[in-house]
Each structure stands twice: as structure tokens, then as C-alpha cells.
Amino acid sequence: MSQMPFSIRNVCSQPMHLFSDMSLKRRMLFFFLPVPVVMLVIVFASTHNHVENTLQDSVAQKTFIQSHAVGYAVSQFLSETRNQIATLAAGSASLEELRMRLRRRMQALIQLGDMRFRETAFVGTGKEAHERYLWVMHDGQVHDIPAEQMDSLSNSPFSIVGMPKENEVQLSQPTEVVYPLDTDERNKPKMRISMQVMRFTTPVILSDGTFAGYLTLSIDLALLQKVIANFSIKTSYASEIPLVLFVDNKGWMIFQMRLDGSLTNMSLDAGRSGMQGDFGRPGFSHAFRPNGNHYGYWQMIRDITANKSGKFFTDERAWNDGPQTADTVSYAPITYMAGNDSGQTVVGGIVLLQPSFAELSQGRELKSIYCFAFVITLVLMLCTVLWVSYSLRRSLLQLKNDMDESSLKSTSTSLPDRAEPEELKELRQSANRILSMLRSLEDDRDKQDSLILARVQLEEAKDMPSNVEYPEDGLIGVSREINQLRQEIQRVAGSQMDVLVTGETGTGKELTSRAIHNLSDRRHGPFITINCGALDEALLMDTLFGHVKGAYTEAKTGRKGAFLTAEGGTLMLDEIGTASPKVQIALLRALSDRCIYPLGSDSKVPFNTRVIAATNADLQEEVAKGNFREDLYFRLAVVTIRTPVLRDRKVDIPYLIMAFLRQAVQESGRLRRIPGISKGALTRLMHYHWPGNVRELRNVVSSALSFCEGDLILPRHLRIGDQKRETADQAEENTQEKEILLPGGVEAEQPSHTNADEKENEMLSGADAAETVSEEKKAEAPDTSAAEDSSHTEHAHHAISDRLERILPELRKLGTFSRQEYQDLANVSMRTAQYDLQELVNAGFATKSGKGPSRRYTMQEQ
């Protein structure tokens, strides 16, 4: 017994321990949220039934109004049809005129697409008793029913029940009739059609007052269904649309349909669901009449025959024996007046079965509103509880966030001071002491890492190749790409076919072309390069194909052209993709016939020259755009070589660096050893993407050698990506490229030919007439020229070359000068003079005026 209180305390203390382990947020949710939720459930449950009953009454009233409107519309339609039939039957002078009027009316309705009257029948009386005909309208045609078939028809329109009086139109109950149409030779019908109609019968009174017989016209029950469908309602759910039943004055269900016009059939499956009764009345086999056990149904029929409309709920008066598929039943009578003097008679009724309210969109919307309100209220309460709990533990969260933020920084920083309880301030101070210790350790580690990294960056790269041997083809590198290029050059050099060399700027397309020439049987012949993008159309045509003396005004002497000048050698057409359509046509003809037609000459001149075309453009894309001839492309692309980009063969960068350094030291003329390259500088060079390829690498290495004063190139000596490049003389640049990449002296293998400047002067004689177009083209696209990979390519004109710097004072003394005066002063070729002057204008040192040979250049003030 003495241990009992201890056991009770243990049992009671377990919930307390669970509560003490809960967080503030869980405590608030556990104690304050359930009570409001229970209150919300009680409020919503108490108000839901009242609101639902109110909406249900409104829906029932709406259905009742719809049934009354539909019944009235059907009654009006029957009255209008009665008036039309009465008009057709009156006013004819003879039966033949009546027949013609009826025929014309039926044809007119067919043309209008109106199949309103399905039957037209006339039977004469008295002396006109022999006059009788029956027409059936089907499939846009009027069919005459033979006399021998009229008597054999069941439910024939001639079986008139009750003779209508004068000025009256009698309406029959819905009737079903089957007609045989299109009989064959043996008088057997080819097809049978079934009709469900209501017949209008009226006496025919001729214009002289003679009673001639009875006229019967029938309308299809489908017309009544169209009239009912005019009251359709739009809803997203087909189950919400009321079901419409058409009943006659005897309680027979005739047809059913949805109020939107769907479910139009005579089966009555949905309407008679859960009912028992009789199937098929005389004259209408699809009709259904419930038995007397369905009290609600027969009470409705009594109201309809008494010309009363109304509604009732199926929970008060059952509609069928099974589950009640309808919530509300609304009905209205259909009345008809045979004549002006006759009273209204009930011929049938319209019944609307409204689905259960719970299945309607209004019921679903009501439930959705309640659910939405409940969820919103619950969310608001939850947010309130969470906000209160958050405010209680805000100080702890602030401390946690400060510590997390400090841990994410690269260096540990002290936690900021906050307005918080004293206990948390002491905890914050303890954390700051720990962070201070960590910060000291991080500083020591960073210092050691920095020293190690700086030492490694300044160390010389030991694995750099030494004594790089220049191969016979001049291609430097050991990569798979450069070896594959060598193999392709070897194979192509042994053939005499024209070659297309493609590749990006700076990848060595001219070098490849020269290697093909040097390794071929034509190596003792000349190697001439023409830049198609640097010359306008007329000058390029003259440069390539030459002219005869007197071909134009300034043609004082004849000119052979590049094709004949390179006889026995190789002609390189650089930037072939920029050639104009006229030049392309001339090139295609020359390559196809291996003959040229100099300007002014009517005879063709054969040539023995190998053509190597080069381009940095995608010729296939240019062909697709219509800028380059497809036949010329296929003529040139028989043998295609693509020069690899430097970023795909970075393994060759160390070999290229050492070759460029050796060449730069030799050109400098100073006695100094070839400097080494640090690991940091080599890393930068290896990780750069090199958009300018080998040419850009050579410029970077040359620039680094200029900035390097010791025996080791450091990362700070590199100018990678700097667009301000010094522009060198084009001829000198070509010579340097030859000496670096093609050692062995290609020019020495051509002792019988003139030097480069003499060739240019010979090829460009008479070019003053085209100088304007060429220089304007260069001025319009200086950036494109800076990207061209050829012997006549310029760099971007942000600075001027050393030659211009030397000659600039003399140009200032002249003030204004022509191209020829500058050419004589600088002692350069015509093309170099054009490039220098354009560079001078782009740099802002001079302006140009005039065109052609009269163009003058004027120096600007400093």
C-alpha cells in the first residue's frame, strides 16, 4: 500500500512529460485549435439544411415556370399550324387548283429545307368522291402513294374519326404509320419509312361555297421536340438538365427528351424507370401508360386534363416505385382550339422531371462554399495560432538565424547584438567566443594557402617542350587533330584536284594551302593568294582573269590575271564565300573549262593552275540562303579539308608557345635566352577558349615577351582577351607567319618569280578606278576584316602601326595628300597603302573626301 501513491504519480507524470517535450507551436495547435473547429462544424451543420431547402424551392419554382412556358409554346405552335392548314384549304376555285396549290407549297417547303408536313391527303365527298390522293414527304422529295396502297395502310390518314365542321381544323392524337416507297416491277416496296405524326384535318370549301371533301396534313413529332428544345439551358453537367415527357390526354407517355434537345427517342426508358403499366396503345406502339398504382402520376394527369398546371416533390408524392431519380415534378397542359367558335381542349401535357438537388450544380456549389468557408476559417485560425507561437519563440529563432548566417559566410563573424532576454545574451556571448577561435584558425589557414598558391604560380613549368622541330609541312603540334590534318594534306598534295579549305579565323587556312602547294608536284611553280573579300567585283574580275589592252579607258597595257600568273603553280582564293554572283559564275566556268576569258577578249585562254579555295563561312548554309551557287560549291568541295580550332587541340599549346617565343627572340635581335613560362601563366593559356586561334596565341605570346623583363613569363605579363592589338604591316605579318610556321624558306624555292610587292603591283595595276568601292567596303565592315584569315587581313583599327607612327610627322607637314603620294612617301605597295590610309581614317587621324583617283586625305589636329 505504501507504494501505491508512487505508482499513481508515475502514471500521472507520463502525460506531463509528453507535454513538456512539445514545442511551442505544437502546444498552441493541440490546445487552441480543436475548440474553434468543433464550433465551426456545429454552425455549418445547423445552417446547411435551411439554405439547401431554400435553394431547392427556388429550383423547383424555376422548373415549374419552364414547364408552363414549354406547354404554352407547344400550344401556340399547334395553333399556328392550324391557321396555316385552314388557309391552304380555303379559297380554291376547283379541286385542281387546290391540288396545284398544295404541290407548289410542298415544293417550296422542300427548297427551304422545311420538312414540316410529312403527309398531305385529300378525300373528296359527293360527286367528288372519286378524287383522292396521298403524298408523303421524305428525304427532300414528295412521294405519291398509289391508290392500291392507300386502302391497305394501317392508320391511314383517310380514316377520319369525327368529321370536322366548317372553319374547324381537327387535331388527332399522335399516330405511328409505316409507308412503303419506291415499288419495283412486281409492286414490292424497296424501302419502308416509319413516321410518328399528329394530323390536322379540315373541310375543303371551294370559292363558290361548295363542300368538296377533307384535307389532312400531318406534322412530325420531331417538330414538337424542336419547339421544346428552344427552352434548353446551358450547364456543364448533362445530369442537371431536366427530363421532358410528352403525354396525351389519356395518360399515355408519347416521347421523352432532355431540355437541351438530347436523348430524343421514343423508348421512354428514363421516363418510365421504376414504373409498371401498359406498352403500346392503338396507333402508337411506343406509348406507355403506368397502371393505377402510381397515384402521383394519375393525380398529375387529372390536373392536366382539367387544364391545370402544378408541381410536387417526390418525397411528398412518389413518382415511381423504385428510387426517386427526380426531386421535383412540374407539369403544364397543352391546349388546342379547333375553330374560332370552339373552346380550348386539352390534347396533352408537358412534364419536367428535375434531378435531385444534391446532384445539381447549385447543390455542389453550396457544398463547395461551405467547404471553402470552413477551410478559409480554419486556415485563418491556424495562421493566428502560428503567429502567436512564433512571437513567443522569436528570440530563439533570431539567435538561430544569426548563427546560421554566420556559418554560411566565408569567414566567421561575431553574432550581432539583439534586444533579447539576459539568458539568450549569455548564450550569444558564448557563441561569439567560439566563433572568434574559429576565425583565428581560418586566418592562419588562409595565409598558408595563399603562400603555397603564390609559390606554385611563380614556379617555372618544367614539362614544356624544348627544341621544337619544325616539320616539313610547317604544322606545329602533336595532337590527333594536327596529325590527321597532316595526313589529309599528304593525300591531297599527290592529286591535281581543286581543294576547299574551311576553318575559323586564325586556324591556318593559308598555311594549309601553302603546305599542299609545297608538297605537290607544283611546288616549283608560283603560289599566289587573292583575297576575294578585299576587292570589289570589277577589281576582283580584273585581278583574276586579266584584260587585254584597250579593254577599257585606262587599260594602257594588257594584264594576264591571277589564273595565268600562277601558271604551273597554285592559286589560293581566300574568303571565296564573299565573291559576288557574277564572280561566282565566272569562276564556275573557268574551273569547268580550265580556260579563262580576259576582259575585252573574245578568245579563251587555257590555264594550268591548281585552285585552292578557303573560307571561314559555312558554304552549305550560304547555299541554302541563296548567297552562294550550289554548282560552284560542289565543284570546289570535291576535296575538302577543315583546319582544326585551337580549343580542340590544346595539347599543342605548349609547343606553339615555345615556337613563338623562339621566333620572337630571334626577331628582336637581342642576345637573350628564351624565357620560360610559369605554371600560373601556362594555366591561363590552357584554360582560355582562344576565339582567334593560333594567330591570337601568337599575339599574346609576343605581347607577353615584350612585358617580360626577366627569364620567366608570369600571369601578369599576359594580355588575354584585350581587343587593343597593335596593327602590324600586312606583308611583314605574312613574312613572320611563314618564318614561324613554315621554316625552310618557301620563297627560296621560287627564285624565278618576282617578290610579293612586285606581284601585287602587277596584279593591281589599273585599280584606281575601283579603289572607292574597295575602301568603302572595308570601311563598312572593319570587324569582319579583322576576323579574316588571309594574307591581306587587317586587325581592328583601335591603334596605328609602327610604320604609320614613324611617318605621321611627315604626313602632318603635308596636311593633305592622295593615295599615290602616300605610296611614294612610305615606299609600299598599292594595297598596303590602301590599308594604311583606311587604318589612319578609322583611328581618327585623317578624313577622306572625293572618290576614285581624285580622293584626298586630310590630316586632323592632334
Side-chain angles (χ1 to χ4, degrees), residues 36-78:
V37 171
V38 173
M39 294 179 62
L40 284 175
V41 171
I42 295 174
V43 171
F44 289 159
S46 61
T47 58
H48 178 268
N49 292 333
H50 176 71
V51 176
E52 183 174 324
N53 292 335
T54 303
L55 289 177
Q56 186 175 4
D57 291 339
S58 64
V59 172
Q61 186 64 24
K62 174 186 174 182
T63 306
F64 170 72
I65 295 173
Q66 285 179 332
S67 65
H68 194 77
V70 173
Y72 178 78
V74 174
S75 300
Q76 287 297 110
F77 176 77
L78 295 178

Side-chain angles (χ1 to χ4, degrees), residues 597-841:
Y597 293 83
L599 182 63
S601 174
D602 295 333
S603 60
K604 61 182 179 180
V605 180
F607 64 87
N608 180 21
T609 303
R610 184 179 192 175
V611 176
I612 299 179
T615 180
N616 59 1
D618 188 350
L619 291 186
Q620 290 183 338
E621 182 178 352
E622 296 298 320
V623 169
K625 293 180 180 179
N627 299 331
F628 198 82
R629 293 182 62 89
E630 184 177 15
D631 46 6
L632 178 58
Y633 169 75
F634 287 121
R635 170 67 65 176
L636 295 173
V638 175
V639 178
T640 302
I641 295 180
R642 180 166 185 84
T643 54
V645 294
L646 184 58
R647 57 182 172 271
D648 291 341
R649 58 182 189 103
K650 288 188 176 181
V651 68
D652 296 334
I653 290 179
Y655 295 88
L656 293 170
I657 292 174
M658 299 308 298
F660 294 153
L661 286 175
R662 174 180 296 179
Q663 180 67 30
V665 169
Q666 293 175 356
E667 291 180 353
S668 65
R670 294 184 296 172
L671 297 177
R672 58 176 297 184
R673 65 181 294 270
I674 299 175
I677 185 166
S678 66
K679 293 181 179 179
L682 181 60
T683 300
R684 289 193 61 189
L685 294 174
M686 292 297 292
H687 286 82
Y688 186 53
H689 60 282
W690 299 112
N693 295 290
V694 178
R695 179 181 296 127
E696 184 180 5
L697 175 61
R698 184 187 60 193
N699 293 338
V700 170
V701 172
S702 300
S703 175
L705 184 62
S706 301
F707 287 104
C708 178
E709 298 178 353
D711 294 334
L712 187 64
I713 296 178
L714 302 177
R716 59 186 176 87
H717 297 150
L718 301 178
R719 299 294 185 268
I720 297 180
D722 187 8
Q723 297 300 319
K724 294 184 177 181
R725 305 291 186 215
E726 293 185 355
T727 305
D729 176 53
Q730 190 63 38
E732 295 176 358
E733 179 182 345
N734 292 341
T735 303
Q736 292 174 6
E737 183 177 356
K738 295 173 187 176
E739 293 175 350
I740 294 175
L741 298 180
L742 283 174
V746 175
E747 298 297 332
E749 298 177 2
Q750 305 176 19
S752 61
H753 299 283
T754 59
N755 58 40
D757 288 341
E758 292 175 348
K759 290 180 181 179
E760 288 178 351
N761 290 330
E762 177 185 356
M763 293 168 61
L764 295 175
S765 61
D768 287 341
E771 178 184 356
T772 302
V773 178
S774 176
E775 292 185 2
E776 288 179 351
K777 182 174 181 180
K778 298 296 292 183
E780 291 174 357
D783 293 337
T784 303
S785 299
E788 292 178 347
D789 177 35
S790 66
S791 61
H792 307 296
T793 306
E794 298 183 289
H795 295 293
H797 298 291
H798 297 288
I800 59 176
S801 63
D802 295 338
R803 181 175 59 255
L804 285 175
E805 287 283 356
R806 293 192 300 268
I807 204 173
L808 194 61
E810 298 182 29
L811 295 177
R812 292 188 183 278
K813 292 180 182 180
L814 292 176
T816 178
F817 50 91
S818 65
R819 190 263 306 160
Q820 186 63 44
E821 292 174 348
Y822 174 83
Q823 183 177 346
D824 297 336
L825 181 63
N827 192 22
V828 294
S829 66
M830 178 187 300
R831 180 175 298 172
T832 304
Q834 292 177 350
Y835 288 160
D836 287 349
L837 293 174
Q838 187 62 43
E839 179 182 356
L840 204 63
V841 172

Side-chain angles (χ1 to χ4, degrees), residues 245-370:
L245 294 177
F246 180 84
V247 299
D248 62 8
N249 53 10
K250 303 298 183 181
W252 290 91
M253 297 181 186
I254 304 302
F255 64 80
Q256 68 178 16
M257 63 178 292
R258 294 287 182 188
L259 198 54
D260 62 347
S262 63
L263 199 63
T264 303
N265 55 57
M266 301 296 173
S267 65
L268 298 168
D269 292 337
R272 63 179 179 85
S273 176
M275 292 184 173
Q276 297 181 357
D278 302 327
F279 289 91
R281 69 164 172 77
F284 205 89
S285 60
H286 296 284
F288 174 78
R289 182 171 62 181
N291 57 29
N293 296 331
H294 299 284
Y295 171 77
Y297 178 82
W298 287 107
Q299 181 64 38
M300 177 192 69
I301 295 298
R302 283 192 291 271
D303 291 342
I304 290 176
T305 54
N307 200 10
K308 295 179 181 180
S309 59
K311 69 177 186 301
F312 63 89
F313 296 102
T314 56
D315 56 352
E316 300 173 357
R317 188 194 306 176
W319 171 256
N320 52 24
D321 294 336
Q324 304 299 312
T325 57
D327 195 30
T328 306
V329 179
S330 302
Y331 53 90
I334 299 175
T335 59
Y336 177 76
M337 187 170 61
N340 295 330
D341 298 334
S342 304
Q344 294 280 356
T345 59
V346 177
V347 297
I350 293 294
V351 182
L352 266 68
L353 303 180
Q354 180 66 51
S356 174
F357 177 78
E359 299 178 358
L360 295 180
S361 59
Q362 294 89 341
R364 287 191 292 269
E365 290 175 1
L366 178 61
K367 293 178 181 178
S368 300
I369 292 173
Y370 274 112

Side-chain angles (χ1 to χ4, degrees), residues 27-43 374 377-378 381-382 385:
R27 294 180 186 183
M28 297 291 290
L29 293 176
F30 184 77
F31 288 101
F32 293 98
L33 196 60
V35 175
V37 171
V38 173
M39 294 179 62
L40 284 175
V41 171
I42 295 174
V43 171
F374 179 81
T377 306
L378 185 61
M381 294 175 58
L382 180 61
V385 171

